[in-house]
Amino acid sequence: MATTRRGRRPGASDTRALILAAARASFAAKGFGGTTIRGVAGAAGVDAALVHHYFGSKDDLFMASLDIPVDPRSLLAPMVAEGPEGAAERFLGVFLSVWDDPEVQPSLLAVARAVMDPASQRLLSDGFLPVVILPVGQALGIDRPEHRMPLVASQVVGLILLRYVLRVEPLASMESDRLVATYAPTIQRYLTGDLP
Amino acid sequence: MATTRRGRRPGASDTRALILAAARASFAAKGFGGTTIRGVAGAAGVDAALVHHYFGSKDDLFMASLDIPVDPRSLLAPMVAEGPEGAAERFLGVFLSVWDDPEVQPSLLAVARAVMDPASQRLLSDGFLPVVILPVGQALGIDRPEHRMPLVASQVVGLILLRYVLRVEPLASMESDRLVATYAPTIQRYLTGDLP
């Protein structure tokens, strides 16, 4: 095994892994804003064009570095296309169907722990929020998405923490329909309701 | 042992510290339900009566082991005494005044990190929830507190995580009054509103 590796040039999968490792380290240490494709390329010892070739934009590189088995941006696209009315209910339906999938949940848990880890606090404020959460609000066409979406995040993150990470009852065992009916009014108000 | 080295008998503060260390280890490993005063006493090498003498009940020992500079049970007593109507607004007022106090916040952050830590997940579900959070609902006289209080916790924990731990804007800098007006309707519905 080791001989084979030494005897050939680095393959595409080695290069991808090197770039991803460099990207993860940079996003965790410098946040999304402080990370550049050029900096990641330099840390991985490759050309910036190769990073673009493998991963596309910085947004795409960030999503790839999180190693989520689903891309929340494409999952949420149909929910976003129907506009702000009833968006909270549709969002929670998609959100729970993905999180409750036993094949996907372990990877999502790993991402949630990374995003909530105080040691890499910029992953949420300076990565996940601008790349994933804010664009949902912008695509929905709600007013002040930069004010409203963090409120949505504050409820969704608490639900993830209690239901999936800490497994607090009755939330951990609650059926999906009941969770949607419980949380949709909260999230719909944060999205479109009267707020101070 | 420190006592032998220093040539004196263990003082009250040594004994207290020994008991607290044993209690913290037990609550984190076995949860609140799995911890007994007798077990903590055994691990600390003291008599169970001494644990009661220093710390009172198991609830009190749990609170002491969290090392919070304020006792949430006495802080919340006036808010609870006025009954369920408007309780969310009063709760948020007390909650923010304590959390925003720069003298108290560092200790609260340490507790929040411990309670949210997946490695000691039973601190919330099997400690903080039954000892601190559920009794508030019971004292308020709301129906199904064991169903409603975890919903309250899911929003409050998310707010703590985003405002204080991860410092996500605009939540991190938002004035107290505006936070109260933003979150009170959510929490009041969880306490007393129609829920599925």
Side-chain angles (χ1 to χ4, degrees), chain A residues 113 115-118 120-122 124-125 129 144 146-147 150-155 157-159 161-162 165-171 174 177-179 181-186 189-190 195-196, chain B residues 113 115-118 120-122 124-125 129 144 146-147 150-155 157-159 161-162 165-171 174 177-179 181-186 189-190 195-196:
Chain A
R113 284 172 182 177
V115 165
M116 292 179 196
D117 182 1
S120 52
Q121 72 172 233
R122 299 174 86 177
L124 180 61
S125 65
L129 198 64
R144 296 187 295 154
E146 69 294 341
H147 178 81
L151 302 178
V152 174
S154 77
Q155 176 61 90
V157 157
L159 175 58
L161 192 66
L162 266 66
V165 180
L166 303 179
R167 304 199 59 73
V168 172
E169 294 296 353
L171 286 167
M174 202 178 283
D177 287 357
R178 195 171 183 192
L179 278 170
T182 298
Y183 285 104
T186 297
R189 175 169 165 269
Y190 294 161
L195 293 177
Chain B
R113 283 172 182 177
V115 165
M116 293 180 196
D117 183 0
S120 52
Q121 71 171 232
R122 299 174 85 177
L124 180 61
S125 64
L129 197 65
R144 296 187 296 154
E146 70 294 341
H147 178 82
L151 302 179
V152 174
S154 78
Q155 176 61 90
V157 158
L159 176 58
L161 192 66
L162 266 67
V165 180
L166 302 179
R167 305 198 57 74
V168 171
E169 294 296 354
L171 286 167
M174 202 179 283
D177 287 358
R178 194 172 184 192
L179 278 169
T182 298
Y183 285 103
T186 297
R189 175 168 165 270
Y190 295 161
L195 293 176

Side-chain angles (χ1 to χ4, degrees), chain B residues 53-109:
Chain B
H53 170 73
Y54 281 128
F55 294 101
S57 69
K58 189 167 86 168
D59 280 24
D60 297 324
L61 178 62
F62 177 73
M63 293 308 302
S65 79
L66 288 179
D67 198 22
I68 313 185
V70 292
D71 187 333
R73 296 172 302 176
S74 49
L75 266 180
L76 293 174
M79 163 243 162
V80 162
E82 292 179 52
E85 203 181 322
E89 208 175 301
R90 296 196 305 278
F91 161 75
L92 283 163
V94 173
F95 168 84
L96 291 169
S97 70
V98 176
W99 267 93
D100 291 340
D101 180 339
E103 304 256 306
V104 182
Q105 195 181 103
S107 319
L108 293 180
L109 273 173

Side-chain angles (χ1 to χ4, degrees), chain A residues 45-83:
Chain A
V46 302
D47 193 82
L50 204 60
V51 179
H52 283 296
H53 170 71
Y54 279 128
F55 294 100
S57 69
K58 189 167 86 167
D59 280 24
D60 297 323
L61 178 63
F62 177 73
M63 292 309 301
S65 79
L66 288 178
D67 199 21
I68 312 184
V70 291
D71 187 333
R73 296 173 301 176
S74 48
L75 266 179
L76 293 174
M79 164 243 159
V80 163
E82 292 179 52

